[in-house]
Amino acid sequence: MKPWPIMPGGSAVLEVFRVFGWRLLSSLVLWSLVIALVALRYTNGVFLLIAVVGVAAQREFYLSQRAAGRTVFLKTGLLAGILLYAATFIAVGSPYGRFPIAFTGEAGLILLVILGALTRRVFEGKIEGATEAMALTLFGFFYVPYLLNYAIKILFCVPGGAGIPLLAFAVAITKLTDIGAYIAGTLLGRHKLSPVISPKKTWEGLVGGVLVAMAASVGLVKLFPEALGTLAGSHAWTLGLVLSGVSVIGDLGESVVKRDAHVKDSGRFIPGIGGALDLVDSLLFSLPVFYGYLVLTGRV
C-alpha cells in the first residue's frame, strides 16, 4: 500500500493529488470488476481473481528477495501456491460438492512444500545460502498464498451463498481503512507512526483509517441488511475496529519486507497502487482474522 503521508506543502500537494488520481482511477477500475463479479454472484470469477492476484503477489515477493541478492526457489514456490489455490477450490468450491478432506489436504500440501524445498536444495549441489533459500521460499508461500487462501475459504465455506457478500465486506473495510488513513494523513498528519518502518505513516492517519472503517462497517450492514444482516449490532462495530487494526499491521508488515529488500514498491501491477503485493498486503492479515471471527461466532 502507499503510505499515509505527513501533510505536504507547496508543490508537493500537486504530486500528492497526481498520485492519488492514479490510485483513484486504478481503484475504480478494480472495484468495478469486483462489484460486477459480486453483483453477478460469479463465485468462480472471484476465485480466479484471487488466485491470479495471489500468484502475482507471491512472485513479486520472490523477485524482491532476488533483487536483494538472496536465493529463492521461485518456480517451486509459485507451483506450491498454485497447487494450494487449486486444492482448496477442489476441496470446498467444487461444483460436485464439498469434500471433508479440505483442511487435511491443505496440511498435506504444506508438508509437500516443505519436503520439496528441502529436496530441491539437496540436489542443488550448493551449500552456501541453503538455509536462506529454503526459509525464504517457505516464507513466501506462507506469507502470500497461504494467508490469502482464507479469501477462498470465506468465499466457499460460508453456508447459504453468503460467502461473496461477506468477502466483499471484509475487503471493503480493509481498503477503506487505507483510504481513510491516506486522506487523514494528508490533511492532518503531524506525528509519525513508525519512523523506522514507514516514515510517512502518521498517528493521525491511523485514527482516520480506523474511524472510516468503523463507520463504513456499520453503514454497509445497514445498507445491505439481507446480505450482511448477521453482522448487525455490536458485530459491525467490533469488525470495523478489529479489521482496520490488523490491516494496518499487515500494511506495516509489507513495509518491513520492502525496506529489508531495499525496494520502494513490490512491483507495477496496478498504476498508482503499485504491485500485487501492495494491493493485498493488508488483506493478508485481515482476511484470516475475519474468517476466524466467522468460525468463532458460528457463521461457518
Side-chain angles (χ1 to χ4, degrees):
M1 294 295 174
K2 298 292 181 184
W4 318 325
I6 296 174
M7 186 175 179
S11 61
V13 174
L14 295 177
E15 178 63 16
V16 168
F17 282 102
R18 186 188 69 81
V19 173
F20 186 76
W22 272 110
R23 171 184 284 198
L24 179 61
L25 178 60
S26 297
S27 298
L28 287 174
V29 173
L30 182 63
W31 277 100
S32 295
L33 174 60
V34 172
I35 291 172
L37 292 173
V38 171
L40 295 173
R41 290 191 173 271
Y42 187 31
T43 308
N44 291 345
V46 176
F47 162 74
L48 287 175
L49 181 62
I50 294 168
V52 169
V53 173
V55 172
Q58 186 186 10
R59 179 177 178 272
E60 288 174 359
F61 170 80
Y62 287 145
L63 291 179
S64 70
Q65 298 307 307
R66 283 188 172 181
R70 299 160 185 161
T71 303
V72 293
F73 302 137
L74 187 145
K75 293 180 181 178
T76 302
L78 291 181
L79 176 61
I82 293 170
L83 289 176
L84 177 63
Y85 293 132
T88 304
F89 176 76
I90 292 172
V92 300
S94 171
Y96 302 105
R98 299 178 181 179
F99 299 95
I101 198 173
F103 299 102
T104 304
E106 181 180 271
L109 180 59
I110 292 172
L111 177 61
L112 287 176
V113 172
I114 296 173
L115 294 177
L118 291 169
T119 303
R120 170 70 185 274
R121 176 43 74 182
V122 167
F123 289 100
E124 188 75 11
K126 286 178 60 179
I127 299 299
E128 297 80 6
T131 303
E132 178 184 71
M134 290 184 292
L136 286 174
T137 302
L138 292 174
F139 178 73
F141 170 80
F142 284 111
Y143 177 47
V144 183
Y146 181 78
L147 293 179
L148 192 60
N149 196 43
Y150 279 92
I152 301 174
K153 293 177 183 178
I154 295 170
L155 188 63
F156 290 110
C157 291
V158 178
I164 283 186
L166 286 177
L167 178 59
F169 168 83
V171 172
I173 298 305
T174 302
K175 294 303 174 184
L176 287 171
T177 299
D178 185 60
I179 294 173
Y182 183 86
I183 294 174
T186 299
L187 298 177
L188 306 172
R190 289 292 187 277
H191 304 89
K192 295 182 179 181
L193 174 64
S194 181
V196 175
I197 296 175
S198 188
K200 293 185 178 181
K201 288 184 172 64
T202 63
W203 283 103
E204 290 83 359
L206 172 63
V207 173
V210 171
L211 291 178
V212 168
M214 294 180 68
S217 180
V218 175
L220 286 173
V221 170
K222 289 184 177 180
L223 282 173
F224 304 100
E226 293 185 4
L228 302 174
T230 57
L231 304 180
S234 61
H235 294 291
W237 291 104
T238 301
L239 285 170
L241 177 62
V242 171
L243 292 182
S244 61
V246 294
S247 70
V248 170
I249 297 174
D251 195 356
L252 289 172
E254 198 226 357
S255 295
V256 171
V257 171
K258 290 192 295 185
R259 188 164 290 274
D260 179 60
H262 305 290
V263 297
K264 183 178 180 181
D265 292 321
S266 65
R268 300 184 181 278
F269 189 72
I270 301 177
I273 295 178
L277 187 54
D278 295 311
L279 181 67
V280 303
D281 54 3
S282 50
L283 293 172
L284 297 178
F285 279 60
S286 65
L287 292 181
V289 169
F290 183 58
Y291 181 80
Y293 187 90
L294 294 177
V295 172
L296 289 174
T297 55
R299 287 165 173 77
V300 174

